[in-house]
Each structure stands twice: as C-alpha cells, then as structure tokens.
C-alpha cells in the first residue's frame, strides 16, 4: 500500500495562488492514478482533479478548469496541484488519493483506495 502525505495548504486571499503537494512513500507511483479531492464543512467530498499513472490524461472539476493544474513527477513520487485565481468557494480540506491501475480514469472518491490526511485551504479576505 502506498502512503500519501499532503502539504502546502494555508490561508490565502481571493485571487491568490497556492500549490499543494502529495508525496508518496513505500512504493513508486508509476502505476497509480492520483486524484485531488476536497471537502468543505457540511458538504460531501468532491473530486477536483485527477491524473493518470503516466500523466498523459487529466480531468478537472468544471469549476476549477483553467484555474487549477495537476501534475506529477513519478521519479520523485510526487503529485502537485497548482491553484490560481482562488475563490472563497475553494475553501476546503484537500486530499490526495491513489488507485492502482484503474480501468478508467475517474474523479469519484469511492474509486480511490489510499488517502492522505488532508491539508486545509482557506480562501478569505
């Protein structure tokens, strides 16, 4: 099982930027798809972005399309989520999650097996 740790969250003003990191230990990520998810208070966890094992396919939640960018560096066992033009509605705990060799790249929480502990992102003036 891969172990994931998120970092990079914080408090930022609207239109600000933040980059989250997801670092894996135990195994290399070269056969894992990785997703970023978020959960705001009182809301269900929702998919934000995901990336295929080789990084050739990516998907984004419509509301973050054009503002967020997911990337990975398998040699470093790392996945990143670069967030720009942040809005208050982006406020949530952000999680990275991994699934081994999925049949299809999806942005659904229940499709992912291994989760990090989460990192808080707060967008407020």
């Amino acid at each position: 099982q891969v172990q994931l740790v998120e970092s990079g969250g914080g408090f930022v003003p609207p239109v600000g930027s933040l980059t989250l990191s997801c670092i894996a230990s135990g195994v290399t990520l070269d056969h894992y798809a990785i997703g970023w998810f978020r959960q705001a208070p009182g809301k269900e966890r929702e998919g934000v972005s995901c990336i295929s094992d080789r990084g050739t396919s990516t998907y984004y939640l419509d509301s973050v399309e054009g503002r967020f960018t997911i990337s990975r560096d398998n040699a470093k066992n790392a996945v990143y989520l670069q967030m720009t033009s942040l809005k208050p509605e982006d406020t949530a705990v952000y999680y990275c999650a991994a699934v081994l060799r999925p049949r299809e790249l999806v942005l659904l929480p229940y499709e992912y097996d291994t989760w990090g502990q989460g990192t808080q992102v707060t967008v407020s003036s």
Side-chain angles (χ1 to χ4, degrees), residues 64-80:
V64 309
E65 184 84 46
R67 300 189 296 118
F68 291 11
T69 301
I70 190 170
S71 62
R72 67 189 300 160
D73 186 340
N74 285 346
K76 296 181 179 179
N77 278 340
V79 179
Y80 308 98

Side-chain angles (χ1 to χ4, degrees), residues 6 20 37-38 48 68 81 83 90 92-95 118-119 121:
E6 304 97 332
L20 307 181
F37 300 83
R38 66 187 183 188
V48 176
F68 291 11
L81 184 67
M83 305 183 293
D90 294 318
V93 177
Y94 283 71
Y95 302 87
T119 185
V121 173

